[in-house]
Amino acid sequence: ELPLNYVCHRCNTPGHLIKNCPTNGNFDYDGRGPRPPRKMTLSLKKKETTGSEMTTEEKRQMEQNQKSTQDKVRSLEQEAYTNIPPEMKCPICQQLMVDACLSTCCGQSFCDECIRERLLDETICPACGDEVTPGQLISNKALRVTINKYQKDHQDRVAKLYSE
């Protein structure tokens, strides 16, 4: 039973449901077109040279490029974790904050896990010394977004090195 004003979302004509549309399976209508046979697609792929087909000079150049890329990636990783902006560094573990949250007493941000573990031992804020309980912590969504962007930018720089 079709609703009174139903129009098929695939072909924009009334009188049938989309699952019963006469254009289902019609590659020309989909815009995808017919697919070539599998053997043909395999022959169209770019042939890659294997190590045995490479000259000694090509092998040396490839190894040198790989080493250079690996060195650049190590340098970027070291920079990303040693030069953490101070506002993104947890005062407890001194690392990039994970799930940043705010202490309501002074507004200082910490890793969620770090501050909760600290507050289990003593209910005193490590930043200001006021009494605070785990229930008074608030997630710092703005800082979480900033940290995620920082991590994504770092990953993009590493990916760019590999694509060169």
Side-chain angles (χ1 to χ4, degrees):
E1 189 76 28
L2 288 173
L4 186 60
N5 294 328
Y6 182 81
V7 175
C8 175
H9 297 288
R10 183 173 168 82
C11 65
N12 294 324
T13 56
H16 60 271
L17 294 171
I18 193 169
K19 70 178 184 179
N20 299 328
C21 184
T23 63
N24 284 343
N26 182 346
F27 291 120
D28 295 329
Y29 190 86
D30 290 346
R32 294 183 291 183
R35 290 171 182 69
R38 177 139 171 83
K39 287 183 181 179
M40 185 175 163
T41 58
L42 292 175
S43 65
L44 293 175
K45 288 184 179 176
K46 182 180 174 186
K47 184 181 176 190
E48 295 182 15
T49 58
T50 61
S52 61
E53 297 172 353
M54 297 174 86
T55 65
T56 307
E57 179 61 27
E58 289 172 329
K59 287 179 185 178
R60 189 184 63 73
Q61 183 65 38
M62 185 179 75
E63 289 169 359
Q64 191 175 22
N65 289 345
Q66 287 175 342
K67 185 179 182 326
S68 173
T69 300
Q70 289 170 349
D71 290 344
K72 289 176 185 175
V73 168
R74 277 191 210 101
S75 172
L76 267 177
E77 287 174 349
Q78 185 177 9
E79 175 191 328
Y81 291 101
T82 56
N83 298 332
I84 299 171
E87 65 274 8
M88 295 184 203
K89 190 182 281 190
C90 174
I92 297 173
C93 67
Q94 299 298 313
Q95 298 295 318
L96 188 65
M97 280 188 228
V98 177
D99 297 332
C101 67
L102 284 168
S103 175
T104 54
C105 55
C106 61
Q108 177 66 47
S109 292
F110 303 92
C111 292
D112 187 58
E113 186 176 336
C114 289
I115 188 65
R116 288 183 189 281
E117 284 181 11
R118 178 70 64 93
L119 293 177
L120 287 175
D121 295 335
E122 55 182 347
T123 57
I124 296 174
C125 175
C128 68
D130 288 351
E131 186 151 332
V132 65
T133 63
Q136 294 173 311
L137 299 174
I138 302 170
S139 64
N140 190 341
K141 293 179 183 177
L143 185 55
R144 289 180 183 187
V145 168
T146 304
I147 291 170
N148 286 339
K149 184 179 181 325
Y150 175 80
Q151 289 175 317
K152 185 182 181 319
D153 289 346
H154 170 70
Q155 290 168 350
D156 290 346
R157 286 187 287 171
V158 169
K160 185 178 176 186
L161 281 176
Y162 279 113
S163 66
E164 291 177 348

